[in-house]
Amino acid sequence: MPIIYDKTRKVFALNTPETTYGIAILDGIYVAHAYYGKTIPTEDIRCLLKENEVPYTPSQNGREKAAFLDAMWMEYPESGMGDFRESAFCLRTQKGHKASELFYESFEIEQGKPELDGMPSTWGKKEDCTTLKLFCRDALTDVRVCLQYTVFEHVDVIARSVVVENHGKEPVYLEKVFSACLDIEDRDFQVVSLMGAWARERYIQRLPLGYGRQCAASFRGESSHQEHPFMALVTPKTTQDTGEVYAMNFVYSGNFMAQAEKDPFDSVRLVMGIHPGEFCWKLEPEETFTAPETVMVYSDKGFGKMTRTFHKLYREHLIRSPYLNQKRPILINNWEATYFDFDEKKLLEIAKEASELGIEMLVMDDGWFGRRNTDESSLGDWQVNENKLKGGLKNLTEQVNEMGMKFGIWFEPEMVSPDSDLYRAHPDWVLQIPGRETTLSRAQCVLDLSRQEVVDAVYKMVAEILKSASIDYVKWDMNRPLATLGSACLPPDRMGELSHRYVLGVYQLQERLLCDFPDLLLENCSSGGGRFDPGMLYYSPQIWCSDDTDAIERLAVQEGTALLYPLSCIGAHVSACPNHVLGRVTPFETRGHVALAGTFGYELDITKLTREEKEMVKEQVKQYHQYYSLISEGEYYRLASYQENKQYDSWMVVSQDKKEALLFYVQVLASPQRKSICLRLAGLEEKAFYEVNLISGKEEIRSGAALMYAGLRIPRMTGDFRSLLCHICRK
Ligand code: GLA
């Protein structure tokens, strides 16, 4: 049984295939946390309660209530009553008091999983998952909170969210509504997070957890390049296949906070939710607030198992696009080829050459609308610039279609340039604080998507373009963070709702788009990978991973991204050299191999390639088709990290039936007199024999056991930045 209620012991056991999560009700009112880890019997859960170490519940010893609250492991700790660790919930009353006591009242267990109002979340059929709802109530205010836990039948994941309802007579102010809290005994934990910047997103960071708090957060209005809505606690020697991992990932695209805190009694509290810093939600009587979802994964076999669990969850229970299981067209995007300097002739030249080499879709990037010839103007004026595209969009798409290619287009719907007709007509539609200068970034302002009329107007413009021609794909960009947070429409006591309302506006826009254009392939983007999160994956099956298209820089970015997200989501293209961000020159072949571990496409002026490079494009296109299902459906194994060893990077994908695998290897700097690298492969069948095609044309037969335990010796390659791809097939 996935969810068991043991009435005698007042214990809930949430069982995934290999884990148990234990909750107990103490004193009839406190929702206490007992256990999370490998599967254990329900009978054991009650004995694991901190109660045995903190032997005074308030009913037994009221004078030490604060000591109890400050030490007990809680499922959803509230502010203001005596738990001085980070709380998960903070409510302010009309009188200004910040305290609440969410006492347990009842529970429900139901098949399936409720949707979260207006927000992305994992989903599952009735037979795939079971949900526990714990209903709690603050007697003074009559605010009721439902803690929701969904257990998936075939994936080791627990998905959590929280619904708050005001049944009282007065409004209350929610100053913090986190989505998950996990209290756990310290095991000398280290904290793993993903940190970065523009062009180097999601670098893996691992630090020891000391006493006090370690936090990852975003206040930028998006999940951000800099920090990521993910945090894991790992035991000290955790590797790809050994050690314990407790991970949380937030299904949300705005401000967040993830924090690990070690208290003086060596308990650790991991919390995740909307960042309370820019948040305060006024909840009127009868109103409901739903907090976004956090997914929790426990692995007893290192990072690899955690990664594969997240990949399975996102592939089977998050991404909804029909393109999830459909081969994506190989695209060519004109951004790095032309920037703003293009017309229909140039695009058609690119399309013609590309179609002859087997590329299947032309994506027209920024610069096709208004008077946009630089990034100084026209965002918001989503009308085709017919001086640039003579004959209009329909004419262009028809010509592209005649070449047998699909057509895609770039938008940045959330933004407006001060130099635009839209801004001139509606200056109050941007985020701004009266009396203060509106902070520009990339010369643009952010539209106030907390206003329904703005959402409607933006949607109308985008939809009109999409209806006007045959458009198969949209790249939805977002090129600046949110600042000068003010809305002309929100009253002062609701201004703290703005950032979250903005995110809800984005979700509404994308939901409408997908409802009205169900066959559209949507790719999200935010100055590269500034909004690469599970929230956006719910709408788009792929996200542009980074503006840094240099194959070597991409190794770390794609390693960190693939720690959580399937390769089929990771937007990756072959671009020109010297690389536009770094000026580095890498072999065309290596650029192809690195892009193949993502959605695969091109971002260069294909008309300028040499004959030899064009032949390589044909070869890469062939490889893409040959390995598509293996890469998009296979299991991912990280074999070596250039970030750690400073020499080489390697990963592989193995088909679900273990009959086929693809090994990727990138040698970064060549170095003399080094021993050759012996790579231990992973994920194969020990007893099976495999044909290993390491150097084209030279096949060797090896057992799965030998490949995994003895390893595969990689031939030396002369030159820097060399790579190889090795197809492994069961005999
Ligand atoms: C962002 C994107 C790029 C490109 C430009 C266009 O930076 O990440 O890929 O679309 O915007 O302005």
Side-chain angles (χ1 to χ4, degrees):
M1 283 279 281
I3 298 182
I4 298 166
Y5 177 56
D6 177 339
K7 206 170 159 190
T8 329
R9 298 183 179 86
K10 298 211 165 25
V11 156
F12 296 92
L14 282 62
N15 295 308
T16 69
E18 296 188 17
T19 72
T20 299
Y21 187 94
I23 300 170
I25 306 300
L26 265 184
D27 269 4
I29 50 175
Y30 294 105
V31 186
H33 177 72
Y35 176 75
Y36 187 30
K38 271 187 99 144
T39 306
I40 59 166
T42 309
E43 294 72 31
D44 288 321
I45 290 176
R46 186 88 204 183
C47 328
L48 300 173
L49 268 181
K50 248 305 185 97
E51 182 186 25
N52 302 316
E53 199 189 311
V54 187
Y56 35 79
T57 61
S59 67
Q60 294 159 9
N61 185 356
R63 56 164 258 141
E64 297 302 348
K65 181 170 167 180
F68 166 81
L69 291 177
D70 203 25
M72 195 63 205
W73 291 354
M74 294 294 190
E75 277 301 310
Y76 203 60
E78 317 89 327
S79 295
M81 294 302 292
D83 184 343
F84 299 103
R85 296 162 291 180
E86 185 75 39
S87 67
F89 184 74
C90 180
L91 171 156
R92 179 165 48 86
T93 61
Q94 284 277 82
K95 295 199 174 76
H97 301 125
K98 288 190 191 180
S100 56
E101 285 191 294
L102 298 172
F103 287 160
Y104 171 77
E105 295 216 310
S106 61
F107 76 94
E108 271 172 21
I109 295 173
E110 60 187 45
Q111 282 307 113
K113 185 170 189 298
E115 281 184 17
L116 300 186
D117 202 16
M119 269 185 300
S121 62
T122 56
W123 42 265
K125 295 201 199 87
K126 280 216 158 117
E127 59 274 22
D128 291 337
C129 47
T130 313
T131 299
L132 168 68
K133 291 181 173 174
L134 296 178
F135 298 100
C136 306
R137 178 169 167 264
D138 178 51
L140 184 67
T141 56
D142 205 3
V143 165
R144 301 182 197 181
V145 169
C146 173
L147 308 178
Q148 300 187 154
Y149 302 79
T150 298
V151 175
F152 288 87
E153 197 86 347
H154 303 294
V155 201
D156 282 305
V157 165
I158 294 176
R160 296 177 61 171
S161 61
V162 174
V163 179
V164 187
E165 288 172 357
N166 185 359
H167 289 251
K169 293 199 170 58
E170 290 186 347
V172 293
Y173 296 88
L174 303 175
E175 297 208 335
K176 188 199 282 181
V177 190
F178 278 170
S179 302
C181 169
L182 174 68
D183 282 344
I184 191 174
E185 196 74 49
D186 184 33
R187 285 176 209 150
D188 231 351
F189 282 130
Q190 297 173 339
V191 176
V192 176
S193 54
L194 298 171
M195 313 299 272
W198 174 78
R200 50 183 169 85
E201 296 89 341
R202 290 172 293 286
Y203 273 52
I204 299 172
Q205 173 174 269
R206 184 168 173 171
L207 294 169
L209 175 63
Y211 291 103
R213 299 169 187 207
Q214 245 161 272
C215 178
S218 168
F219 287 105
R220 295 165 191 265
E222 58 174 344
S223 45
S224 90
H225 301 82
Q226 290 75 8
E227 309 196 21
H228 197 72
F230 161 78
M231 187 167 274
L233 299 171
V234 305
T235 46
K237 296 209 170 81
T238 296
T239 63
Q240 280 300 314
D241 37 37
T242 62
E244 285 184 282
V245 183
Y246 292 88
M248 284 188 188
N249 198 189
F250 199 25
V251 188
Y252 188 62
S253 314
N255 295 337
F256 73 88
M257 174 170 152
Q259 183 179 275
E261 173 185 7
K262 181 155 126 179
D263 72 18
F265 311 113
D266 291 323
S267 281
V268 176
R269 174 168 286 178
L270 184 63
V271 291
M272 183 168 277
I274 294 182
H275 202 297
E278 290 293 350
F279 175 83
C280 180
W281 195 275
K282 183 179 184 186
L283 201 65
E284 294 279 3
E286 310 296 314
E287 280 184 353
T288 298
F289 177 82
T290 304
E293 178 170 273
T294 287
V295 289
M296 301 195 308
V297 170
Y298 166 76
S299 157
D300 62 329
K301 294 199 181 66
F303 292 111
K305 186 173 174 187
M306 175 204 76
T307 292
R308 289 183 289 281
T309 304
F310 276 120
H311 287 195
K312 187 172 166 66
L313 178 75
Y314 294 154
R315 286 199 286 221
E316 295 177 12
H317 298 286
L318 179 71
I319 301 170
R320 301 170 301 166
S321 166
Y323 276 96
L324 174 64
N325 300 316
Q326 221 171 292
K327 206 194 262 180
R328 326 260 168 94
I330 302 177
L331 67 82
I332 183 157
N333 177 305
N334 73 307
W335 178 241
E336 288 194 23
T338 64
Y339 295 101
F340 295 103
D341 185 16
F342 64 88
D343 56 15
E344 86 291 350
K345 276 206 207 97
K346 183 66 205 171
L347 293 178
L348 289 169
E349 263 171 50
I350 292 177
K352 183 161 182 296
E353 191 67 60
S355 67
E356 283 165 8
L357 299 177
I359 295 170
E360 299 157 310
M361 179 160 75
L362 174 75
V363 175
M364 177 172 67
D365 211 282
D366 193 355
W368 56 267
F369 50 92
R371 289 174 293 103
R372 184 129 165 127
N373 295 316
T374 68
D375 60 11
E376 295 277 329
S377 87
S378 300
L379 291 173
D381 294 344
W382 300 110
Q383 292 90 31
V384 178
N385 178 349
E386 298 213 9
N387 293 326
K388 251 184 184 178
L389 301 183
K390 297 201 184 59
L393 195 56
K394 194 154 190 293
N395 174 47
L396 175 65
T397 56
E398 277 169 7
Q399 292 195 59
V400 170
N401 291 161
E402 268 165 34
M403 294 172 193
M405 287 183 102
K406 292 176 184 280
F407 184 83
I409 195 167
W410 179 96
F411 280 102
E412 195 176 352
E414 299 160 58
M415 301 293 157
V416 63
S417 310
D419 179 11
S420 67
D421 294 343
L422 184 72
Y423 183 84
R424 282 182 282 272
H426 301 283
D428 63 311
W429 278 13
V430 307
L431 297 184
Q432 61 195 298
I433 300 175
R436 295 198 187 280
E437 184 186 338
T438 301
T439 306
L440 291 180
S441 176
R442 209 194 188 202
Q444 63 199 52
C445 299
V446 184
L447 284 171
D448 180 0
L449 297 183
S450 73
R451 290 169 66 171
Q452 190 58 44
E453 64 197 306
V454 180
V455 169
D456 291 343
V458 168
Y459 183 73
K460 194 160 167 265
M461 285 188 278
V462 173
E464 260 164 32
I465 291 287
L466 295 184
K467 281 184 211 145
S468 73
S470 159
I471 294 173
D472 305 281
Y473 160 109
V474 163
K475 177 175 172 186
W476 182 300
D477 212 338
M478 192 272 195
N479 279 322
R480 61 156 291 176
L482 275 53
T484 37
L485 286 171
S487 164
C489 277
L490 286 172
D493 64 348
R494 284 195 177 272
M495 210 54 89
E497 300 175 13
L498 180 55
S499 298
H500 182 55
R501 286 189 183 276
Y502 176 88
V503 177
L504 294 179
V506 175
Y507 289 153
Q508 190 202 128
L509 276 170
Q510 298 211 348
E511 186 69 36
R512 281 165 77 173
L513 194 70
L514 296 175
C515 280
D516 291 348
F517 305 92
D519 297 327
L520 192 72
L521 172 57
L522 186 61
E523 174 155 357
N524 269 293
C525 172
S526 171
S527 299
R531 207 165 53 179
F532 199 123
D533 58 60
M536 298 321 284
L537 275 185
Y538 181 75
Y539 301 97
S540 64
Q542 59 195 58
I543 303 177
W544 184 229
C545 181
S546 178
D547 275 348
D548 198 334
T549 51
D550 173 76
I552 301 305
E553 287 300 299
R554 274 291 183 122
L555 295 177
V557 177
Q558 292 185 196
E559 178 187 359
T561 308
L563 187 70
L564 305 176
Y565 308 107
L567 302 189
S568 61
C569 308
I570 301 179
H573 297 164
V574 175
S575 66
C577 275
N579 178 267
H580 290 197
V581 172
L582 281 189
R584 183 183 279 142
V585 177
T586 53
F588 201 84
E589 191 182 35
T590 305
R591 286 176 260 158
H593 289 162
V594 174
L596 201 59
T599 54
F600 194 72
Y602 292 85
E603 182 131 357
L604 39 68
D605 189 345
I606 202 156
T607 63
K608 294 193 178 137
L609 294 188
T610 62
R611 189 180 306 170
E612 203 189 1
E613 285 170 333
K614 284 181 189 164
E615 285 309 309
M616 282 199 253
V617 171
K618 282 192 198 158
E619 186 55 31
Q620 290 171 345
V621 165
K622 218 163 88 196
Q623 279 176 347
Y624 170 80
H625 290 299
Q626 187 181 352
Y627 301 133
Y628 179 80
S629 32
L630 184 53
I631 294 169
S632 64
E633 292 157 26
E635 298 269 28
Y636 171 86
Y637 291 85
R638 170 59 48 180
L639 303 182
S641 164
Y642 166 56
Q643 288 306 298
E644 287 167 15
N645 64 37
K646 305 293 174 215
Q647 279 188 66
Y648 60 96
D649 217 50
S650 181
W651 64 95
M652 64 189 285
V653 281
V654 182
S655 65
Q656 299 290 340
D657 61 9
K658 297 185 184 294
K659 285 192 175 152
E660 214 189 337
L662 195 62
L663 168 70
F664 294 79
Y665 175 85
V666 181
Q667 162 185 297
V668 181
L669 292 184
S671 102
Q673 303 263 345
R674 274 205 193 271
K675 65 179 175 54
S676 58
I677 303 293
C678 189
L679 269 185
R680 287 168 142 203
L681 309 195
L684 303 173
E685 196 80 71
E686 277 184 16
K687 295 211 168 80
F689 282 87
Y690 292 89
E691 203 170 271
V692 180
N693 193 344
L694 192 53
I695 303 166
S696 124
K698 194 171 160 228
E699 278 152 17
E700 293 176 24
I701 308 294
R702 301 276 181 83
S703 68
L707 289 168
M708 293 193 290
Y709 311 136
L712 181 67
R713 206 157 278 286
I714 303 296
R716 280 166 192 267
M717 293 181 278
T718 48
D720 295 336
F721 317 130
R722 298 285 308 278
S723 68
L724 57 82
L725 197 63
C726 171
H727 188 218
I728 297 165
C729 240
R730 196 168 164 165
K731 283 288 291 168

